[in-house]
Amino acid sequence: MAGVIKLLPDHVANQIAAGEVVQRPASVVKELLENAIDAGADQIKLIVKDGGKTLIQVVDNGCGMSTTDARMSFERHATSKLTTAEELYALKTKGFRGEALASIAAIAHVELQTRTNEEEIGTEIRITGSEVTEQQPIATPEGTAILVKNLFYNIPARRNFLKSPQVESRHITDEFHRVALAHPDIAFQYYSNGSELFNLPKTNLRKRIVHVFGSKTNEKLVPVTEDTQLVKVSGFLCKPEFAKKSRGEQFFFVNNRFIKSPYLHHAVMNAFEGLIKPNTFPGYFLYLEMEPSAIDVNIHPTKTEIKFHDDHSLYAILRSALKHSLGQFNVAPVLDFEKDPNLETPYAFKQKRAEAPTVEIDRAFNPFSGSVRPASGFKKATKEAWEALYLQTENQGATTSISSQMEEDPVQTGMFTKTAESESGARTFQYKHKYVVSSIKSGMLIIHQNRAHQRILYDKFFKELSQQNTVSQQLLFPLSLSFSKTDMNLIREIRSELIDHGFLFEEIGEEQLTLNGLPIQITEGEVGIVIDELIATRREGATPSFSTTELLAQSMCKAMAIKTGAQLDIASQQGLVNDLFACSESGRSPFNKTVYVVISENDIDNKFN
Ligand code: ADP
Ligand code: MG
């Protein structure tokens, strides 16, 4: 059986490796930016077209390559950064596998122009599918320009798998953010389809964050510093009151490399506990410096996870450092850079004492006192169906009904709010500020209050928003909202649909949005959260099957539905039950989650066997 095992031809091996290194255009961007940084560049330009599907170009002013090195750089395991396995553990550079360029060249059209400062004349190389098609001397500035065209041109399955240019662009922007935030001392420019998205000068970290996420960010930042034997922590947190419904501005860097760490994220959330509302996320930009020997860099290509040898201590140090700075920030405003009038904390804000954040639960709030409760619009058929659910209960007497037992119990535990008679004569009570429980014909009904209200609001908003003439309420004073540039781009993408739905835009600036009218369903206080939700959904990208009307109704119901934790008085509990069963799809939330469960009498009886 000789000659069965063969070595894979190089171009095949490269294509396979490419599958690991290059998942999408953003992976190419990451590799190319990292190479430019490793080359010592302090000016890097990124140019993409169509979300990187047609073109990705990175131009740097780094050390460049000699003709031989330029040719070698596309060979697999060609790297100038590592010669022994031990060095792997003391890495200072980003790349070390010598795989990226070879992989990219296997699945795209690549053009490289490069020159070192020792040479007068540089080198140009063109490669297609791992084959060098052209090599020649060329006059070019010192540094390297690399152009990647038609990614996955020879792997149609992969190419078809790519998402829309907008979605791919967002991934690229995420990658760009990570690199730009890790290297404030490098100037970056980023162009997409011919327009400049970012032009970031060399600066310090605080200004870099502000340049990336918008000038309003400055006043949100709280510095963090901690120096221990294990780790040096620096960076910034966003003040608790700016916590957002959507994730997005959470960054960890270890030794200047972006990493993802659910464990450390947990430490941050822990430090913020009690300061932010449930289901909101604080922004953070945290930089850890550690001995390379204290971590395991996962050498799997493109993975951003790493392992810390002493993760428990790290968790504790991080949490206490963050708590410390959160506790301090309202005492004295800290400015860590020379005065720049554009970035200075506004005077009014400096004077203001930060107030202790409070949990905003309005106990008197009755979500059904307004227009939500369809007193007259209640569908008769549904009402009958609902009453039928209850019918038998009354005849069965109080003993089989948990809610009745509760009422008979003179000691009302704090866990239950008062029981009540509903319109149809059945009783409801609230359990743990989370569920509304009621006794029905076939057993016990447990309703998830948040999801139920989402369903009710969704149906209402969807119906109203779908009507041709959306009604807009004019605002007395225009309302200004700030967003990051990236988020503003998302808003621009759906601007005309938003206008159709009653958002009247006065102005859409770089980072600021001025509204002078809102759909009647949304109050001024809510519009920020609604738009945040909308952005979060758009950012996730996987929603082509939803119309903007649906997305908007989803965002509105998510932002405005009564939350888990809210206490509901009896009228509200009953309103919730009645309104829910007037919806045609009462069993599923707009996000396809279970709204209520019924525990049958049989199941309950069986428990007593
Ligand atoms: P790695 O970065 O893991 O070493 P790459 O395939 O990304 O592997 O790059 C291979 C080699 O090509 C690098 O080690 C470096 O010597 C050279 N190289 C790549 N990009 C640049 C650049 N922009 N400037 C100078 N040298 C570069
Ligand atoms: Mg590299």
Side-chain angles (χ1 to χ4, degrees):
M1 285 286 283
V4 177
I5 297 177
K6 294 195 194 91
L7 280 175
L8 287 173
D10 261 4
H11 71 277
V12 178
N14 284 341
Q15 271 198 18
I16 294 170
E20 293 194 330
V21 180
V22 183
Q23 272 108 38
R24 55 184 353 137
S27 339
V28 174
V29 168
K30 171 175 188 269
E31 295 293 339
L32 298 183
L33 291 177
E34 290 187 347
N35 280 348
I37 293 164
D38 284 347
D42 70 352
Q43 278 182 33
I44 300 177
K45 200 189 309 187
L46 167 66
I47 300 160
V48 300
K49 287 213 173 99
D50 304 322
K53 289 183 184 184
T54 36
L55 173 96
I56 299 166
Q57 186 176 17
V58 171
V59 184
D60 70 55
N61 66 348
C63 65
M65 285 179 267
S66 69
T67 306
T68 326
D69 283 350
R71 189 69 188 247
M72 275 286 285
S73 67
F74 292 100
E75 298 292 327
R76 225 144 94 77
H77 304 305
T79 175
S80 54
K81 301 163 192 171
L82 192 72
T83 43
T84 65
E86 286 78 57
E87 283 171 22
L88 192 56
Y89 296 97
L91 272 168
K92 287 272 178 313
T93 57
K94 312 250 168 217
F96 50 82
R97 302 178 306 268
E99 250 175 345
L101 289 188
S103 300
I104 294 165
I107 49 160
H109 298 104
V110 176
E111 291 173 35
L112 171 80
Q113 298 176 343
T114 186
R115 181 168 75 81
T116 65
N117 77 343
E118 288 110 53
E119 277 150 315
E120 303 267 293
I121 285 288
T123 308
E124 181 177 66
I125 293 179
R126 286 169 198 255
I127 297 191
T128 297
S130 299
E131 297 284 326
V132 177
T133 56
E134 224 177 295
Q135 179 177 339
Q136 62 192 19
I138 187 180
T140 182
E142 191 186 327
T144 303
I146 182 158
L147 205 122
V148 176
K149 290 193 288 195
N150 311 320
L151 191 67
F152 296 131
Y153 78 97
N154 52 356
I155 317 181
R158 295 297 296 273
R159 194 166 170 89
N160 295 337
F161 187 70
L162 294 176
K163 296 262 162 54
S164 70
Q166 287 95 325
V167 173
E168 295 301 340
S169 264
R170 259 169 250 154
H171 286 286
I172 291 175
T173 304
D174 285 346
E175 218 52 79
F176 178 82
H177 283 166
R178 294 165 182 178
V179 173
L181 290 171
H183 299 278
D185 51 339
I186 298 176
F188 289 95
Q189 284 168 290
Y190 172 14
Y191 295 86
S192 176
N193 293 333
S195 57
E196 182 187 271
L197 293 190
F198 290 92
N199 187 349
L200 310 172
K202 280 191 199 192
T203 181
N204 63 17
L205 177 59
R206 186 174 188 129
K207 281 194 193 171
R208 173 57 52 92
I209 294 171
V210 169
H211 287 141
V212 171
F213 290 107
S215 49
K216 281 278 154 62
T217 315
N218 191 39
E219 68 196 39
K220 301 182 185 173
L221 299 177
V222 187
V224 179
T225 44
E226 181 67 89
D227 202 346
T228 67
Q229 269 211 312
L230 178 66
V231 62
K232 192 164 169 253
V233 185
S234 59
F236 296 90
L237 299 174
C238 289
K239 291 176 190 171
E241 63 260 43
F242 298 107
K244 283 193 183 174
K245 299 282 284 178
S246 56
R247 277 164 173 267
E249 289 161 23
Q250 286 88 29
F251 295 89
F252 279 117
F253 300 90
V254 173
N255 298 346
N256 276 342
R257 183 189 267 278
F258 172 82
I259 61 141
K260 285 183 188 153
S261 169
Y263 186 67
L264 296 185
H265 174 75
H266 194 269
V268 179
M269 295 305 283
N270 195 318
F272 271 93
E273 205 178 296
L275 299 174
I276 55 175
K277 289 189 224 169
N279 301 319
T280 60
F281 301 94
Y284 56 82
F285 310 88
L286 294 169
Y287 296 71
L288 314 183
E289 279 172 57
M290 305 179 75
E291 284 297 320
S293 57
I295 51 186
D296 277 335
V297 176
N298 189 329
I299 60 167
H300 186 277
T302 77
K303 274 258 174 84
T304 45
E305 283 102 45
I306 66 175
K307 246 177 93 176
F308 304 98
H309 292 173
D310 190 357
D311 52 359
H312 287 306
S313 308
L314 188 58
Y315 187 103
I317 293 169
L318 193 62
R319 190 187 55 177
S320 90
L322 304 187
K323 281 195 162 176
H324 183 69
S325 21
L326 284 171
Q328 270 203 322
F329 78 85
N330 55 5
V331 182
V334 184
L335 291 175
D336 75 334
F337 52 85
E338 67 289 1
K339 283 205 161 94
D340 173 339
N342 296 320
L343 298 177
E344 255 277 40
T345 312
Y347 178 74
F349 197 86
K350 257 201 264 186
Q351 298 298 90
K352 215 154 98 188
R353 271 285 179 101
E355 285 153 30
T358 50
V359 181
E360 289 171 29
I361 296 175
D362 182 359
R363 306 244 173 241
F365 173 67
N366 177 353
F368 300 98
S369 58
S371 56
V372 180
R373 189 169 190 176
S376 55
F378 200 95
K379 288 185 215 132
K380 192 164 175 282
T382 332
K383 188 170 178 180
E384 277 163 7
W386 178 225
E387 279 170 348
L389 268 175
Y390 273 113
L391 214 63
Q392 239 176 296
T393 332
E394 298 304 294
N395 311 330
Q396 281 172 344
T399 42
T400 54
S401 151
I402 289 191
S403 57
S404 312
Q405 274 178 355
M406 286 310 300
E407 204 192 31
E408 279 160 18
D409 185 351
V411 189
Q412 289 269 341
T413 63
M415 268 171 17
F416 300 103
T417 45
K418 274 195 197 140
T419 60
E421 300 265 330
S422 83
E423 281 175 18
S424 29
R427 297 180 178 87
T428 60
F429 66 87
Q430 195 189 14
Y431 179 63
K432 296 229 171 180
H433 296 166
K434 203 192 234 174
Y435 301 105
V436 173
V437 182
S438 180
S439 158
I440 55 166
K441 188 170 153 186
S442 55
M444 191 167 78
L445 172 73
I446 306 175
I447 298 171
H448 191 290
Q449 66 187 44
N450 171 250
R451 291 177 190 171
H453 201 212
Q454 283 184 349
R455 166 51 69 196
I456 295 164
L457 291 181
Y458 179 87
D459 284 16
K460 169 183 146 71
F461 293 147
F462 183 76
K463 191 166 150 234
E464 291 170 359
L465 292 170
S466 313
Q467 281 158 3
Q468 282 295 301
N469 308 313
T470 20
V471 192
S472 184
Q473 50 179 331
Q474 290 278 335
L475 297 174
L476 213 46
F477 302 102
L479 185 70
S480 278
L481 298 169
S482 303
F483 295 95
S484 70
K485 279 191 186 175
T486 327
D487 288 351
M488 283 301 294
N489 284 333
L490 293 179
I491 293 170
R492 273 189 210 104
E493 285 171 21
I494 49 168
R495 176 190 180 166
S496 62
E497 285 124 308
L498 287 176
I499 293 174
D500 291 345
H501 286 109
F503 289 87
L504 302 181
F505 291 101
E506 187 163 276
E507 194 187 302
I508 300 191
E510 284 241 290
E511 297 170 358
Q512 196 140 346
L513 186 87
T514 313
L515 289 163
N516 52 15
L518 297 178
I520 44 163
Q521 296 85 357
I522 309 179
T523 67
E524 281 184 50
E526 287 161 340
V527 65
I529 316 175
V530 171
I531 295 183
D532 269 357
E533 284 287 357
L534 204 57
I535 288 168
T537 331
R538 289 283 301 185
R539 198 190 284 133
E540 277 146 30
T543 47
S545 52
F546 290 114
S547 68
T548 306
T549 312
E550 285 169 302
L551 287 182
L552 192 58
Q554 282 184 358
S555 307
M556 285 163 62
C557 80
K558 208 165 168 192
M560 288 147 77
I562 46 170
K563 303 286 180 294
T564 294
Q567 183 172 338
L568 300 180
D569 64 17
I570 287 150
S572 307
Q573 295 172 27
Q574 288 174 358
L576 188 79
V577 173
N578 290 332
D579 292 351
L580 175 65
F581 288 96
C583 296
S584 51
E585 263 188 272
S586 55
R588 307 301 293 174
S589 83
F591 307 95
N592 203 23
K593 298 254 171 67
T594 306
V595 172
Y596 63 83
V597 293
V598 175
I599 301 177
S600 74
E601 194 185 338
N602 242 339
D603 284 350
I604 301 173
D605 287 345
N606 284 339
K607 295 228 180 275
F608 293 94
N609 280 340

